[in-house]
Amino acid sequence: MTNRRVLLRNRPVGEPKPSDFEIVDAPLPEPQEGDILVRTIWLSLDPYMRGRMNDVKSYTAPVELGQPMVGGTVGEVVKSRDAAFTPGDFVLSYGGWQAYHVAKAAGARVGPFGPLKLDPQAAPISTALGILGMPGLTAYVGLYDIAQPKPGETVVVSAAAGAVGSVVGQLAKIRGCRVAGIASTKDKCEYVLKELGFDACVSHRVPDLAAVLRDACPKGIDVYFDNVGGDVLKAVLRNVNPFARIPLCGIISQYNATEMPPGPNLAPVLVNRVTIRGFLVSDHADRLPQFLADCSRWLREGKLKYREDIVQGLEKAPEALIGLLRGQNTGKMLVKVGEDPTRR
Ligand code: NDP
Protein backbone atom coordinates (compact mmCIF):
# COMPACT_ATOMS: atom_id res chain seq x y z
CA MET A 1 0.00 0.00 0.00
CA THR A 2 1.27 3.45 -0.88
CA ASN A 3 0.42 6.92 0.30
CA ARG A 4 -0.55 9.36 -2.45
CA ARG A 5 0.52 12.90 -1.55
CA VAL A 6 0.36 16.34 -3.15
CA LEU A 7 3.58 18.29 -2.52
CA LEU A 8 4.33 21.98 -2.96
CA ARG A 9 6.85 22.04 -5.83
CA ASN A 10 7.19 25.81 -6.55
CA ARG A 11 6.20 28.99 -4.77
CA PRO A 12 3.60 30.57 -7.07
CA VAL A 13 3.87 34.13 -8.34
CA GLY A 14 0.30 35.46 -8.65
CA GLU A 15 -2.29 32.76 -9.31
CA PRO A 16 -1.03 29.22 -8.55
CA LYS A 17 -0.56 26.84 -11.50
CA PRO A 18 -0.99 23.05 -11.55
CA SER A 19 2.81 22.79 -12.09
CA ASP A 20 3.35 24.40 -8.64
CA PHE A 21 2.20 21.05 -7.21
CA GLU A 22 3.57 17.53 -7.58
CA ILE A 23 1.72 14.27 -7.00
CA VAL A 24 3.89 11.48 -5.58
CA ASP A 25 3.41 8.04 -4.03
CA ALA A 26 5.27 7.39 -0.76
CA PRO A 27 5.40 4.44 1.65
CA LEU A 28 2.67 4.31 4.28
CA PRO A 29 3.73 6.01 7.55
CA GLU A 30 3.96 3.90 10.73
CA PRO A 31 2.21 5.16 13.92
CA GLN A 32 4.32 5.32 17.11
CA GLU A 33 3.06 4.96 20.69
CA GLY A 34 0.24 7.52 21.22
CA ASP A 35 -0.35 7.94 17.45
CA ILE A 36 -3.12 6.93 15.08
CA LEU A 37 -2.85 6.11 11.37
CA VAL A 38 -5.71 7.78 9.51
CA ARG A 39 -7.10 7.11 6.02
CA THR A 40 -8.27 10.44 4.61
CA ILE A 41 -11.86 10.58 3.41
CA TRP A 42 -12.44 14.34 3.12
CA LEU A 43 -9.87 17.10 2.60
CA SER A 44 -10.90 20.70 3.21
CA LEU A 45 -9.72 23.34 0.74
CA ASP A 46 -9.51 26.83 2.23
CA PRO A 47 -8.33 30.25 1.02
CA TYR A 48 -5.61 30.47 3.73
CA MET A 49 -3.73 27.69 1.86
CA ARG A 50 -2.67 30.26 -0.76
CA GLY A 51 -0.82 32.21 1.96
CA ARG A 52 0.99 29.08 3.14
CA MET A 53 2.48 28.69 -0.36
CA ASN A 54 4.41 31.98 0.04
CA ASP A 55 7.74 32.20 1.81
CA VAL A 56 6.70 35.09 4.03
CA LYS A 57 6.36 35.38 7.78
CA SER A 58 2.70 35.28 8.81
CA TYR A 59 0.77 33.95 11.78
CA THR A 60 2.01 30.43 10.88
CA ALA A 61 4.99 29.02 9.03
CA PRO A 62 4.82 28.44 5.24
CA VAL A 63 4.69 24.96 3.72
CA GLU A 64 8.23 23.91 2.86
CA LEU A 65 9.02 23.09 -0.76
CA GLY A 66 8.83 19.34 -1.32
CA GLN A 67 6.45 18.88 1.63
CA PRO A 68 2.73 18.01 1.41
CA MET A 69 0.29 20.90 1.38
CA VAL A 70 -1.38 21.36 4.77
CA GLY A 71 -5.11 21.10 5.41
CA GLY A 72 -7.91 19.94 7.67
CA THR A 73 -9.13 16.39 7.06
CA VAL A 74 -11.80 13.94 8.12
CA GLY A 75 -10.79 10.32 7.98
CA GLU A 76 -11.07 6.83 9.39
CA VAL A 77 -8.63 5.38 11.92
CA VAL A 78 -6.97 2.32 10.36
CA LYS A 79 -4.36 1.64 13.05
CA SER A 80 -4.31 2.92 16.62
CA ARG A 81 -1.55 3.01 19.21
CA ASP A 82 -3.62 5.09 21.59
CA ALA A 83 -6.28 3.82 24.00
CA ALA A 84 -8.74 6.61 23.08
CA PHE A 85 -9.10 5.49 19.42
CA THR A 86 -9.93 2.20 17.73
CA PRO A 87 -9.82 1.28 14.04
CA GLY A 88 -13.07 2.33 12.38
CA ASP A 89 -13.38 5.56 14.40
CA PHE A 90 -13.94 8.71 12.38
CA VAL A 91 -11.69 11.60 13.24
CA LEU A 92 -11.15 15.27 12.44
CA SER A 93 -7.43 16.01 12.14
CA TYR A 94 -4.94 18.12 10.25
CA GLY A 95 -3.66 15.51 7.83
CA GLY A 96 -2.86 17.63 4.77
CA TRP A 97 -3.09 16.73 1.09
CA GLN A 98 -2.42 13.01 1.33
CA ALA A 99 -4.31 9.74 1.40
CA TYR A 100 -2.93 8.62 4.81
CA HIS A 101 -1.34 10.41 7.74
CA VAL A 102 -0.22 9.81 11.28
CA ALA A 103 -1.85 12.04 13.93
CA LYS A 104 -0.82 12.47 17.55
CA ALA A 105 -3.77 11.27 19.59
CA ALA A 106 -2.28 11.34 23.07
CA GLY A 107 -2.51 14.60 24.97
CA ALA A 108 -3.36 16.56 21.85
CA ARG A 109 -5.17 19.86 22.26
CA VAL A 110 -8.67 19.81 20.78
CA GLY A 111 -9.12 22.97 18.68
CA PRO A 112 -10.91 23.73 15.43
CA PHE A 113 -8.58 21.25 13.69
CA GLY A 114 -8.90 18.37 16.17
CA PRO A 115 -7.94 15.64 16.65
CA LEU A 116 -11.52 14.97 17.56
CA LYS A 117 -13.52 11.76 17.40
CA LEU A 118 -16.65 12.28 15.28
CA ASP A 119 -20.07 10.72 15.76
CA PRO A 120 -21.50 9.92 12.32
CA GLN A 121 -24.99 9.63 13.86
CA ALA A 122 -24.89 13.24 15.11
CA ALA A 123 -24.11 14.92 11.75
CA PRO A 124 -22.52 13.96 8.41
CA ILE A 125 -18.79 13.61 9.13
CA SER A 126 -17.80 16.10 6.40
CA THR A 127 -19.58 18.91 8.31
CA ALA A 128 -16.64 18.87 10.75
CA LEU A 129 -14.71 20.67 7.99
CA GLY A 130 -17.48 23.15 7.19
CA ILE A 131 -20.56 24.32 9.00
CA LEU A 132 -19.66 22.48 12.23
CA GLY A 133 -15.93 23.04 11.81
CA MET A 134 -13.35 25.78 11.39
CA PRO A 135 -15.39 27.89 8.90
CA GLY A 136 -18.51 27.65 11.09
CA LEU A 137 -16.58 28.64 14.22
CA THR A 138 -15.06 31.57 12.29
CA ALA A 139 -18.55 32.81 11.41
CA TYR A 140 -19.83 32.29 14.97
CA VAL A 141 -16.95 34.06 16.73
CA GLY A 142 -16.60 36.85 14.17
CA LEU A 143 -20.28 37.66 14.15
CA TYR A 144 -21.54 36.95 17.66
CA ASP A 145 -18.41 37.76 19.73
CA ILE A 146 -16.75 40.48 17.67
CA ALA A 147 -19.55 42.26 15.75
CA GLN A 148 -22.26 41.58 18.37
CA PRO A 149 -25.23 42.40 16.09
CA LYS A 150 -28.52 43.47 17.65
CA PRO A 151 -31.97 42.46 16.38
CA GLY A 152 -33.12 44.81 13.64
CA GLU A 153 -29.59 45.87 12.63
CA THR A 154 -28.36 45.48 9.05
CA VAL A 155 -25.57 42.94 8.53
CA VAL A 156 -23.67 42.68 5.25
CA VAL A 157 -21.36 39.77 4.45
CA SER A 158 -19.10 39.25 1.42
CA ALA A 159 -18.25 35.86 -0.17
CA ALA A 160 -21.82 35.23 0.99
CA ALA A 161 -22.26 31.88 -0.78
CA GLY A 162 -18.99 30.50 0.60
CA ALA A 163 -18.19 28.37 3.63
CA VAL A 164 -17.88 31.21 6.17
CA GLY A 165 -20.20 33.79 4.58
CA SER A 166 -23.15 31.40 4.21
CA VAL A 167 -23.05 30.69 7.96
CA VAL A 168 -22.57 34.36 8.92
CA GLY A 169 -25.76 35.37 7.11
CA GLN A 170 -27.83 32.56 8.64
CA LEU A 171 -26.52 33.30 12.16
CA ALA A 172 -27.43 36.97 11.65
CA LYS A 173 -30.97 35.94 10.64
CA ILE A 174 -31.24 33.76 13.77
CA ARG A 175 -30.26 36.89 15.78
CA GLY A 176 -33.12 38.84 14.10
CA CYS A 177 -31.04 41.04 11.80
CA ARG A 178 -31.65 42.14 8.23
CA VAL A 179 -29.00 40.46 6.07
CA ALA A 180 -27.54 41.40 2.70
CA GLY A 181 -25.00 39.17 0.98
CA ILE A 182 -22.40 40.08 -1.62
CA ALA A 183 -21.48 37.36 -4.14
CA SER A 184 -20.29 37.28 -7.74
CA THR A 185 -22.97 35.49 -9.75
CA LYS A 186 -26.76 35.36 -10.11
CA ASP A 187 -26.73 31.65 -9.15
CA LYS A 188 -24.87 32.35 -5.90
CA CYS A 189 -27.25 35.21 -5.06
CA GLU A 190 -30.25 32.97 -5.75
CA TYR A 191 -28.78 30.32 -3.44
CA VAL A 192 -28.33 32.72 -0.51
CA LEU A 193 -31.74 34.33 -1.05
CA LYS A 194 -33.86 31.23 -1.69
CA GLU A 195 -32.09 28.47 0.23
CA LEU A 196 -30.41 30.40 3.04
CA GLY A 197 -33.08 33.07 3.60
CA PHE A 198 -30.97 36.24 3.26
CA ASP A 199 -33.05 39.41 2.68
CA ALA A 200 -30.95 40.77 -0.18
CA CYS A 201 -27.95 39.84 -2.28
CA VAL A 202 -25.93 41.93 -4.70
CA SER A 203 -23.11 41.15 -7.11
CA HIS A 204 -19.72 42.75 -6.59
CA ARG A 205 -19.25 42.70 -10.37
CA VAL A 206 -21.14 45.97 -10.95
CA PRO A 207 -19.76 49.38 -11.94
CA ASP A 208 -20.98 51.17 -8.76
CA LEU A 209 -21.22 48.71 -5.85
CA ALA A 210 -21.59 51.53 -3.30
CA ALA A 211 -24.81 52.72 -5.00
CA VAL A 212 -26.17 49.17 -5.33
CA LEU A 213 -25.49 48.58 -1.61
CA ARG A 214 -27.23 51.84 -0.70
CA ASP A 215 -30.40 50.52 -2.40
CA ALA A 216 -30.05 47.06 -0.82
CA CYS A 217 -29.47 48.52 2.69
CA PRO A 218 -31.78 51.53 2.99
CA LYS A 219 -31.05 51.91 6.71
CA GLY A 220 -27.26 51.78 6.21
CA ILE A 221 -24.84 49.07 7.37
CA ASP A 222 -24.32 48.29 11.07
CA VAL A 223 -22.11 45.21 10.67
CA TYR A 224 -19.90 44.30 7.74
CA PHE A 225 -18.31 40.84 7.98
CA ASP A 226 -15.41 41.27 5.58
CA ASN A 227 -14.18 38.17 3.79
CA VAL A 228 -12.63 39.87 0.76
CA GLY A 229 -11.19 43.38 1.41
CA GLY A 230 -10.25 45.61 -1.56
CA ASP A 231 -12.93 47.28 -3.68
CA VAL A 232 -15.81 45.59 -1.86
CA LEU A 233 -14.64 47.00 1.49
CA LYS A 234 -14.27 50.41 -0.16
CA ALA A 235 -17.89 50.32 -1.36
CA VAL A 236 -19.21 49.13 2.02
CA LEU A 237 -17.38 51.91 3.89
CA ARG A 238 -19.39 54.50 1.97
CA ASN A 239 -22.57 53.06 3.53
CA VAL A 240 -21.61 52.45 7.17
CA ASN A 241 -23.71 53.76 10.04
CA PRO A 242 -22.27 55.43 13.14
CA PHE A 243 -20.73 52.85 15.46
CA ALA A 244 -20.67 50.11 12.82
CA ARG A 245 -18.51 47.06 13.54
CA ILE A 246 -16.33 45.41 10.91
CA PRO A 247 -14.77 42.04 11.78
CA LEU A 248 -11.90 41.68 9.30
CA CYS A 249 -11.97 37.98 8.55
CA GLY A 250 -10.18 37.64 5.21
CA ILE A 251 -8.75 39.54 2.23
CA ILE A 252 -9.24 36.98 -0.52
CA SER A 253 -9.22 39.67 -3.25
CA GLN A 254 -5.48 40.08 -2.53
CA TYR A 255 -4.29 36.50 -1.97
CA ASN A 256 -2.98 36.16 -5.55
CA ALA A 257 -1.80 39.79 -5.81
CA THR A 258 1.84 40.39 -6.74
CA GLU A 259 1.79 43.93 -5.32
CA MET A 260 -0.48 45.58 -2.79
CA PRO A 261 -3.24 47.73 -4.33
CA PRO A 262 -3.85 51.25 -2.95
CA GLY A 263 -5.78 51.00 0.32
CA PRO A 264 -9.36 52.15 0.96
CA ASN A 265 -10.15 55.65 2.17
CA LEU A 266 -10.82 55.19 5.89
CA ALA A 267 -12.44 58.62 6.50
CA PRO A 268 -15.90 57.03 7.11
CA VAL A 269 -14.31 54.84 9.80
CA LEU A 270 -13.35 57.97 11.68
CA VAL A 271 -16.47 60.08 11.30
CA ASN A 272 -18.78 57.15 12.04
CA ARG A 273 -16.67 55.85 14.95
CA VAL A 274 -16.54 52.41 13.32
CA THR A 275 -14.82 49.49 15.05
CA ILE A 276 -12.69 47.40 12.67
CA ARG A 277 -11.14 44.32 14.23
CA GLY A 278 -9.02 41.59 12.73
CA PHE A 279 -9.40 38.12 14.22
CA LEU A 280 -8.04 34.61 13.78
CA VAL A 281 -10.28 31.67 14.51
CA SER A 282 -7.32 29.81 16.05
CA ASP A 283 -7.43 32.21 19.04
CA HIS A 284 -11.00 31.18 19.85
CA ALA A 285 -10.87 27.44 20.54
CA ASP A 286 -12.55 28.17 23.90
CA ARG A 287 -15.76 28.97 21.99
CA LEU A 288 -15.84 25.56 20.30
CA PRO A 289 -18.17 23.82 22.82
CA GLN A 290 -20.78 26.61 22.77
CA PHE A 291 -20.51 26.95 18.98
CA LEU A 292 -21.00 23.19 18.51
CA ALA A 293 -23.93 23.08 20.93
CA ASP A 294 -25.73 25.99 19.20
CA CYS A 295 -24.95 25.18 15.58
CA SER A 296 -25.54 21.40 15.83
CA ARG A 297 -28.95 22.14 17.33
CA TRP A 298 -29.81 24.74 14.66
CA LEU A 299 -28.66 22.30 11.97
CA ARG A 300 -30.93 19.55 13.35
CA GLU A 301 -33.82 22.01 13.60
CA GLY A 302 -33.32 23.08 9.97
CA LYS A 303 -32.48 26.67 10.96
CA LEU A 304 -29.01 26.30 9.42
CA LYS A 305 -28.39 24.93 5.94
CA TYR A 306 -25.19 24.21 4.07
CA ARG A 307 -23.91 23.15 0.68
CA GLU A 308 -20.73 21.26 -0.18
CA ASP A 309 -18.83 21.71 -3.43
CA ILE A 310 -17.13 18.34 -3.89
CA VAL A 311 -14.35 17.32 -6.28
CA GLN A 312 -13.47 13.64 -6.58
CA GLY A 313 -9.88 12.49 -6.03
CA LEU A 314 -6.78 13.96 -4.39
CA GLU A 315 -5.26 14.61 -7.85
CA LYS A 316 -7.98 17.25 -8.43
CA ALA A 317 -7.02 19.27 -5.31
CA PRO A 318 -4.61 21.72 -7.06
CA GLU A 319 -7.18 22.66 -9.74
CA ALA A 320 -9.89 22.96 -7.10
CA LEU A 321 -7.82 25.34 -4.93
CA ILE A 322 -7.08 27.48 -8.01
CA GLY A 323 -10.85 27.50 -8.73
CA LEU A 324 -11.73 28.43 -5.12
CA LEU A 325 -9.49 31.50 -5.32
CA ARG A 326 -11.29 32.46 -8.56
CA GLY A 327 -14.69 32.11 -6.89
CA GLN A 328 -15.77 28.95 -8.72
CA ASN A 329 -17.11 27.25 -5.57
CA THR A 330 -20.51 27.55 -3.92
CA GLY A 331 -20.48 26.46 -0.28
CA LYS A 332 -17.71 24.50 1.39
CA MET A 333 -15.00 23.27 -0.97
CA LEU A 334 -14.08 19.65 -0.25
CA VAL A 335 -12.00 16.98 -1.93
CA LYS A 336 -13.28 13.43 -1.63
CA VAL A 337 -10.00 11.56 -1.17
CA GLY A 338 -11.36 8.13 -0.20
CA GLU A 339 -14.54 6.10 0.24
CA ASP A 340 -16.95 7.43 2.91
CA PRO A 341 -18.54 4.38 4.55
CA THR A 342 -21.16 6.61 6.23
CA ARG A 343 -22.53 7.81 2.87
CA ARG A 344 -23.27 4.60 0.96
P1 NDP B 1 -15.25 30.66 0.40
O1 NDP B 1 -15.92 29.34 0.42
O2 NDP B 1 -16.07 31.89 0.68
O3 NDP B 1 -14.56 30.82 -1.02
C1 NDP B 1 -13.94 31.97 -1.37
C2 NDP B 1 -14.90 32.95 -2.09
O4 NDP B 1 -14.31 34.25 -2.09
C3 NDP B 1 -15.08 32.66 -3.56
O5 NDP B 1 -16.03 31.65 -3.81
C4 NDP B 1 -15.49 34.02 -4.13
O6 NDP B 1 -16.90 34.19 -4.06
C5 NDP B 1 -14.86 35.01 -3.15
N1 NDP B 1 -13.85 35.81 -3.85
C6 NDP B 1 -12.72 35.35 -4.43
N2 NDP B 1 -12.05 36.39 -4.98
C7 NDP B 1 -12.79 37.51 -4.74
C8 NDP B 1 -12.62 38.89 -5.09
N3 NDP B 1 -11.55 39.32 -5.76
N4 NDP B 1 -13.57 39.76 -4.68
C9 NDP B 1 -14.64 39.35 -4.01
N5 NDP B 1 -14.86 38.05 -3.66
C10 NDP B 1 -13.93 37.14 -4.04
O7 NDP B 1 -14.02 30.68 1.41
P2 NDP B 1 -14.13 30.60 3.01
O8 NDP B 1 -15.53 30.83 3.41
O9 NDP B 1 -13.41 29.41 3.46
O10 NDP B 1 -13.26 31.88 3.46
C11 NDP B 1 -13.80 33.20 3.33
C12 NDP B 1 -12.77 34.20 3.85
O11 NDP B 1 -12.58 33.99 5.24
C13 NDP B 1 -11.40 34.07 3.21
O12 NDP B 1 -10.86 35.37 3.00
C14 NDP B 1 -10.59 33.32 4.25
O13 NDP B 1 -9.21 33.57 4.15
C15 NDP B 1 -11.20 33.89 5.53
N6 NDP B 1 -11.03 33.07 6.74
C16 NDP B 1 -10.49 33.67 7.84
C17 NDP B 1 -10.37 33.00 9.03
C18 NDP B 1 -9.85 33.71 10.23
O14 NDP B 1 -9.50 33.06 11.23
N7 NDP B 1 -9.76 35.04 10.20
C19 NDP B 1 -10.75 31.58 9.14
C20 NDP B 1 -11.38 31.04 7.94
C21 NDP B 1 -11.51 31.78 6.78
P3 NDP B 1 -17.66 35.09 -5.15
O15 NDP B 1 -17.78 34.22 -6.36
O16 NDP B 1 -18.93 35.43 -4.52
O17 NDP B 1 -16.79 36.29 -5.45
Side-chain angles (χ1 to χ4, degrees):
M1 271 163 76
T2 55
N3 185 19
R4 181 145 289 196
R5 314 173 96 189
V6 181
L7 313 181
L8 179 62
R9 182 46 58 209
N10 301 303
R11 301 213 179 274
V13 178
E15 189 175 62
K17 300 181 292 302
S19 58
D20 295 328
F21 304 88
E22 186 184 5
I23 297 166
V24 298
D25 288 323
L28 222 56
E30 193 51 47
Q32 304 301 308
E33 197 52 40
D35 289 345
I36 47 179
L37 178 66
V38 183
R39 173 183 74 83
T40 305
I41 300 173
W42 298 102
L43 165 68
S44 174
L45 292 185
D46 299 86
Y48 74 82
M49 292 169 174
R50 176 65 188 85
R52 298 286 169 87
M53 299 171 84
N54 296 338
D55 191 12
V56 291
K57 196 169 177 283
S58 183
Y59 55 94
T60 41
V63 176
E64 280 176 39
L65 288 178
Q67 289 300 311
M69 287 287 292
V70 290
T73 48
V74 161
E76 183 179 13
V77 176
V78 288
K79 229 186 227 185
S80 176
R81 298 199 55 194
D82 184 88
F85 290 89
T86 45
D89 283 346
F90 296 105
V91 64
L92 167 72
S93 51
Y94 202 64
W97 296 27
Q98 49 189 343
Y100 291 87
H101 66 274
V102 164
K104 286 250 160 294
R109 196 171 69 102
V110 175
F113 290 118
L116 181 71
K117 203 186 285 191
L118 300 172
D119 175 4
Q121 306 302 325
I125 55 174
S126 59
T127 58
L129 296 171
I131 192 157
L132 296 181
M134 187 278 283
L137 180 64
T138 304
Y140 187 90
V141 166
L143 188 74
Y144 285 169
D145 295 358
I146 293 173
Q148 301 185 12
K150 296 178 203 62
E153 285 192 324
T154 298
V155 173
V156 170
V157 57
S158 47
V164 175
S166 60
V167 186
V168 169
Q170 295 183 82
L171 294 179
K173 287 303 298 177
I174 288 173
R175 184 55 63 88
C177 301
R178 183 169 190 283
V179 180
I182 304 175
S184 57
T185 63
K186 200 163 156 260
D187 284 354
K188 289 190 182 188
C189 278
E190 252 169 46
Y191 165 59
V192 306
L193 286 169
K194 294 194 179 141
E195 280 185 51
L196 306 182
F198 288 28
D199 301 290
C201 186
V202 302
S203 172
H204 56 83
R205 293 183 186 155
V206 289
D208 189 354
L209 180 58
V212 172
L213 277 171
R214 196 171 312 124
D215 290 342
C217 306
K219 292 186 180 165
I221 296 169
D222 300 298
V223 169
Y224 172 48
F225 193 108
D226 190 9
N227 281 319
V228 308
D231 289 341
V232 176
L233 174 59
K234 243 189 241 180
V236 169
L237 282 178
R238 288 174 54 197
N239 290 287
V240 283
N241 287 333
F243 304 104
R245 286 83 69 204
I246 303 183
L248 286 187
C249 178
I251 325 171
I252 196 167
S253 66
Q254 292 170 17
Y255 292 173
N256 282 332
T258 47
E259 55 189 70
M260 281 304 115
N265 174 2
L266 293 182
V269 171
L270 173 72
V271 295
N272 290 302
R273 290 84 90 207
V274 172
T275 300
I276 296 187
R277 190 173 144 195
F279 73 102
L280 292 178
V281 65
S282 44
D283 295 331
H284 300 274
D286 60 312
R287 298 290 280 143
L288 198 57
Q290 190 61 49
F291 153 70
L292 281 176
D294 285 343
C295 289
S296 313
R297 188 178 72 251
W298 291 329
L299 197 59
R300 279 195 306 276
E301 292 171 357
K303 288 186 183 156
L304 281 180
K305 300 198 172 74
Y306 68 97
R307 215 188 252 195
E308 295 172 336
D309 203 328
I310 297 171
V311 297
Q312 304 284 339
L314 189 59
E315 300 75 12
K316 295 277 170 55
E319 251 175 67
L321 179 64
I322 294 166
L324 170 76
L325 294 164
R326 284 181 189 162
Q328 285 165 358
N329 65 307
T330 300
K332 177 69 200 129
M333 186 87 235
L334 292 175
V335 180
K336 189 162 184 222
V337 178
E339 188 54 37
D340 184 347
T342 67
R343 276 204 200 182
R344 283 209 184 101

